[in-house]
Amino acid sequence: MSHSFQVTKTHGAARTGVITTAHGTIQTPAFLFCATKAALKGMTMDMARALGMPAILCNTYHLMIQPGAARIAHLGGLHAVADWQGPILTDSGGYQIFSMGHGSVGDEIKGRAIRRESFIVSIADSGVIFRSYQGGEKLLLTPERAMALQRYLGADLVVQLDECTPFHAGYEATAKAMRRSVRWLDRSLATMAAWQGKSAQGHPQGIYGVIQGGVWDDLRAQSAQAVAARHDDLFGIAIGGSLGSTPQQMREAVDMALVPLPAQAKTRPIHLLGVGEMGAILHGVSRGIDTFDCVHPLRIARHGTALRQGQPALNLGRAIHADDRAPLDEACACPTCQAYTRGYIHHLFKAREMLAGTLVSVHNAATMMGFMADLRTAIDQGVSLESVAKAWIA
């Protein structure tokens, strides 16, 4: 089965659609949950299937270090080892390499200038040499190797290696990295063509080209135009890199990447990398973005924070919840909310029981999926997305 993307309904720039892969379909707009090391944090794949989770994203950077892409291929590929037969997207590893070189994933790349010792040894057109965060040994990642790793991993959707500049990088550094990412895209496409775009397990793979350029509109435009010029060879387009330090800058950077894209390029699915906050997703959907990914919903779950529909998130570590017999969210029909109280889950966190994170992870996943479902319904029915915002965003 070949990959395809079909837009099914539009409402302004927002759209619903269907991404078809060898391992199933994704109804868009959709949120892809991060199974960073080929496992969802705090949840089994059976739990994910029961919720109707559409797809997962696995991390090439972490998997190349442990256990290694070749070993995963030997064990049957990501779908087999993770017990997930739905669509899988793998990123290139570039985001993690460069964020660990300039700061943490959640800090430096996203605008908070926290610096630490760099894991990067050198960056050149040939590739990136960096030190493993496990043993400290030097590793090389090139556009060709990033594609080979993803071929062995066996994802349905893969991403080119790009140079992801942090927020503190200046204009010239960002421009240099953007142009290098375009050259790396051409090498990635050539590498995929050599094995007819198929994984080591024999199924088709679709590649995303990444728009870079930081917070500069001319650089975003140049990158978008370069990626769009190669759309015949791409399955999809991704927006990456620094999106600024404020929600407003993020919206502006997203618009900078989308506005220069010609209509023909927008026939491809568009993915916004690393964004999981509902307000940012709503803005992206309103501009025509189809898919999103982020560790946020499951990460905060493990630390005792429950998302809620139209209300502030719930901090279950607070003593105020100790005797609370209410569910996490009375508007939620997930298994957690149907069976457990805030008081019990508060007790589990205080007792450091692993079940605590699992219960909130299931709830947060269900909440994100409910939000995305309402966005799809609003678009299909021609209803303003502001109605979804009022219902879901506190």
Side-chain angles (χ1 to χ4, degrees):
M1 175 185 289
S2 61
H3 285 30
S4 66
F5 173 62
Q6 180 180 5
V7 175
T8 54
K9 190 81 172 183
T10 60
H11 181 55
R15 60 194 192 176
T16 55
V18 182
I19 295 173
T20 300
T21 77
H23 290 91
T25 60
I26 304 170
Q27 304 293 320
T28 65
F31 185 83
L32 278 57
F33 290 84
C34 291
T36 302
K37 300 178 182 179
L40 292 164
K41 298 287 189 182
M43 294 176 61
T44 66
M45 294 302 179
D46 277 342
M47 293 174 182
R49 277 188 285 271
L51 292 175
M53 190 173 288
I56 61 173
L57 180 148
C58 298
N59 190 288
T60 301
Y61 170 76
H62 290 290
L63 292 173
M64 73 178 284
I65 293 175
Q66 172 66 38
R71 179 164 289 158
I72 287 179
H74 172 73
L75 295 172
L78 281 175
H79 293 89
V81 299
D83 185 32
W84 178 259
Q85 293 309 310
I88 297 178
L89 183 147
T90 46
D91 60 11
S92 67
Y95 179 81
Q96 285 69 34
I97 291 171
F98 293 112
S99 63
M100 293 188 75
H102 298 292
S104 74
V105 170
D107 292 315
E108 184 61 36
I109 294 292
K110 295 188 176 179
R112 297 183 290 273
I114 295 176
R115 303 192 186 192
R116 64 185 182 189
E117 180 183 358
S118 176
F119 285 85
I120 295 176
V121 176
S122 67
I123 306 171
D125 272 10
S126 56
V128 187
I129 298 175
F130 63 99
R131 294 187 184 277
S132 167
Y133 62 81
Q134 281 197 347
E137 68 273 17
K138 290 182 181 180
L139 300 172
L140 171 66
L141 190 62
T142 65
E144 293 80 7
R145 188 172 186 221
M147 299 314 301
L149 290 167
Q150 292 180 86
R151 178 174 182 251
Y152 280 120
L153 292 172
D156 302 282
L157 307 172
V158 301
V159 180
Q160 69 151 121
L161 180 65
D162 58 321
E163 183 175 348
C164 187
T165 50
F167 180 71
H168 76 266
Y171 180 91
E172 292 303 327
T174 304
K176 183 178 180 180
M178 180 273 292
R179 295 183 187 110
R180 177 176 285 147
S181 294
V182 173
R183 294 192 292 273
W184 284 358
L185 173 56
D186 287 334
R187 289 165 58 184
S188 300
L189 290 170
T191 303
M192 275 200 79
W195 55 70
Q196 290 79 48
K198 290 188 177 180
S199 72
Q201 294 76 34
H203 58 263
Q205 294 182 304
I207 183 173
Y208 282 69
V210 181
I211 298 173
Q212 285 287 347
V215 295
W216 286 276
D217 55 358
D218 61 324
L219 298 184
R220 284 286 181 185
Q222 291 175 43
S223 182
Q225 290 160 6
V227 171
R230 294 153 175 81
H231 80 275
D232 284 343
D233 298 315
L234 295 172
F235 176 74
I237 294 171
I239 301 172
S242 173
L243 298 175
S245 61
T246 67
Q248 180 60 31
Q249 273 192 321
M250 177 181 289
R251 290 191 289 270
E252 290 172 355
V254 168
D255 291 347
M256 289 174 194
L258 290 172
V259 169
L261 283 176
Q264 194 172 16
K266 291 180 180 179
T267 61
R268 302 291 185 262
I270 301 174
H271 183 86
L272 182 55
L273 290 158
V275 170
E277 189 270 326
M278 286 186 184
I281 290 174
L282 182 76
H283 175 80
V285 168
S286 74
R287 297 300 194 267
I289 293 176
D290 304 291
T291 53
F292 307 79
D293 77 89
C294 192
V295 300
H296 178 71
L298 301 187
R299 173 178 283 171
I300 63 172
R302 301 193 300 277
H303 296 286
T305 298
L307 298 171
R308 293 190 295 169
Q309 181 176 341
Q311 301 179 71
L314 204 65
N315 180 355
L316 291 157
R318 297 180 61 196
I320 192 174
H321 301 303
D323 296 313
D324 196 337
R325 297 175 63 181
L328 297 180
D329 186 348
E330 293 180 354
C332 181
C334 79
T336 296
C337 288
Q338 293 303 299
Y340 301 100
T341 66
R342 297 178 189 179
Y344 176 64
I345 298 173
H346 167 82
H347 151 68
L348 293 179
F349 276 109
K350 297 294 284 186
R352 298 187 178 182
E353 289 287 347
M354 294 175 64
L355 180 60
T358 294
L359 293 178
V360 184
S361 294
V362 167
H363 166 77
N364 281 2
T367 300
M368 289 299 297
M369 290 168 58
F371 173 61
M372 301 308 298
D374 277 7
L375 286 172
R376 292 192 296 271
T377 298
I379 297 167
D380 284 339
Q381 295 179 352
V383 176
S384 170
L385 296 184
E386 287 304 312
S387 63
V388 182
K390 290 177 181 178
W392 281 92
I393 302 174

